[in-house]
Amino acid sequence: MVVAMILAAALVVAPAAARAPSAGTAIYVGEEDLDVNALNGTASADFTRLVHYSGAVGEAIDDEIQVTGSGLITEVKKGIKTGNYYVEGNKSAYLNVRVPEVTVDVVLNKSPKESVVGKSVTRDTEVAFKLSNNLISGMNKTGTGDVKMNIEVTLPGGGVVTRFGSGVTTDNLKGIVANGTTQYEPVKLTDAAAGTYTVQAKWPDTSDFYGKGFDSNTGAFEVLSKSLAITSDKDSVVRGNSFTVTITGESITPYDLYVKDVSNLAPNKYPSIRAGQKGFNPPLFPPGASAAANASTINATFNTTASGTRTVQFDTGSNTEDRTYTIRVERMVPRAAPPTTRSR
């Protein structure tokens, strides 16, 4: 008689790594499997909860976090009060509960304080995706590294990508560190299609925060197809009234704005640029030019805004000659001599 025996190897599943925050450090709503065994100064947990006091420490308790018999906080649940949670009866052993906060912005790479969210830029503009957060370092499960996020870009056609920018061949918007520092990811728009783009920082599905409503805000910006343009709010104007022209170009860039020269027309016969407007970029001419040239009301240099635009007012008066005028804009170049008007 033969007895067949099958020996099955026992399947041993190693416990998942857990972050072990030290006393006084931060933990976040949404975090899971926090190891608090040593929080009370012992090798293993000898308490069943962390408590939040409504007033002085040790008095009235108004919220709590349960601790398992193996010394784990299985999850810091939404809806609990933020602030310090103490080992009951120990005024020095506590953890600080915070809500994870993440914000995303789109700024000018050469001027990071200038946001272009809600604005328009040209393909020549280099932007940067800015990620800010209130997280601490060492938050991954091993306690030796940082947690990371992805920035997703919704394209004008509706597609969503984490690889974005001219010349980019890798997923440059994946795995961005979130450790309380501000991170910038420069992006070139040279090959970007015209239209509106929306960015959002999201937690990956490997994160404790995934799907719990802790993703960032969204920020949208528009990419224009034209690199330089000028438009007017009026096709014609009655002498004595004003009109405006709007320059559309690169962000925070100086442009020359001028009325095309009319043969044998005195300067006071032209429409004039209103003095003192925002964006005026002195000096009009190189050092050494006359004060009269620098005060010209026919030629001026203006800086565009972060969105790459600048609106400039022209005035007309009783001396303005009745005729058709051409107003032009071009990238600013040094002018060797102070002409009365620009001839083109």
Side-chain angles (χ1 to χ4, degrees):
M1 185 174 185
V2 179
V3 178
M5 297 183 65
I6 300 175
L7 300 178
L11 180 61
V12 178
V13 180
R19 182 164 84 94
S22 57
T25 59
I27 62 174
Y28 292 82
V29 175
E31 274 199 275
E32 301 172 6
D33 299 326
L34 292 166
D35 182 351
V36 294
N37 273 286
L39 187 61
N40 202 31
T42 62
S44 61
D46 56 357
F47 56 96
T48 59
R49 64 176 183 167
L50 298 175
V51 296
H52 182 275
Y53 297 104
S54 59
V57 176
E59 297 182 358
I61 296 172
D62 61 1
D63 215 337
E64 65 178 36
I65 300 173
Q66 292 293 321
V67 177
T68 68
S70 57
L72 290 179
I73 296 173
T74 55
E75 183 176 3
V76 184
K77 299 289 188 179
K78 268 189 170 182
I80 69 168
K81 297 180 183 297
T82 57
N84 292 339
Y85 280 73
Y86 294 81
V87 173
E88 199 168 6
N90 187 336
K91 294 184 179 181
S92 62
Y94 69 91
L95 296 173
N96 182 256
V97 174
R98 304 175 184 175
V99 175
E101 297 174 355
V102 181
T103 59
V104 71
D105 198 359
V106 185
V107 300
L108 297 179
N109 192 42
K110 64 182 179 181
S111 184
K113 292 184 178 180
E114 295 285 352
S115 174
V116 299
V117 169
K119 300 175 182 177
S120 300
V121 296
T122 67
R123 293 191 181 103
D124 296 327
T125 303
E126 185 172 342
V127 299
F129 295 155
K130 175 182 177 182
L131 180 67
S132 304
N133 59 85
N134 70 337
L135 303 172
I136 59 174
S137 60
M139 277 187 61
N140 70 5
K141 292 302 184 182
T142 65
T144 58
D146 300 320
V147 292
K148 297 179 180 180
M149 299 191 72
N150 302 328
I151 293 180
E152 296 185 355
V153 182
T154 302
L155 306 176
V160 179
V161 297
T162 53
R163 179 184 300 181
F164 183 71
S166 301
V168 173
T169 59
T170 60
D171 288 331
N172 57 318
L173 302 179
K174 273 190 173 181
I176 300 175
V177 168
N179 62 1
T181 61
T182 300
Q183 303 292 321
Y184 294 89
E185 182 62 38
V187 174
K188 293 183 178 180
L189 302 173
T190 310
D191 301 323
T196 298
Y197 294 79
T198 302
V199 299
Q200 184 177 23
K202 290 191 173 184
W203 291 104
D205 57 9
T206 54
S207 168
D208 288 352
F209 302 125
Y210 175 74
K212 296 179 181 178
F214 297 121
D215 295 336
S216 79
N217 60 300
T218 59
F221 66 99
E222 181 185 19
V223 175
L224 299 175
S225 59
K226 294 181 179 180
S227 58
L228 182 59
I230 186 171
T231 57
S232 175
D233 70 329
K234 296 182 176 71
D235 294 325
S236 62
V237 63
V238 176
R239 186 188 292 110
N241 293 323
S242 301
F243 64 95
T244 63
V245 298
T246 298
I247 302 166
T248 300
E250 296 180 43
S251 302
I252 312 182
T253 300
Y255 289 95
D256 283 343
L257 181 68
Y258 61 93
V259 182
K260 184 179 178 181
D261 187 27
V262 178
S263 180
N264 299 319
L265 187 66
N268 66 343
K269 300 290 186 179
Y270 288 80
S272 61
I273 297 171
R274 171 71 66 91
Q277 296 185 67
K278 289 184 177 180
F280 178 72
N281 184 35
L284 178 60
F285 299 105
S290 68
N294 282 325
S296 170
T297 59
I298 302 170
N299 309 309
T301 303
F302 284 89
N303 279 332
T304 53
T305 64
S307 62
T309 62
R310 177 62 66 187
T311 299
V312 179
Q313 179 174 323
F314 281 80
D315 294 330
T316 65
S318 58
N319 290 329
T320 307
E321 184 161 314
D322 185 8
R323 63 167 57 241
T324 298
Y325 297 91
T326 300
I327 299 173
R328 291 186 172 178
V329 63
E330 62 185 32
R331 188 70 177 263
M332 189 190 77
V333 293
R335 299 208 274 271
T340 301
T341 62
R342 298 292 300 275
S343 297
R344 288 292 187 275

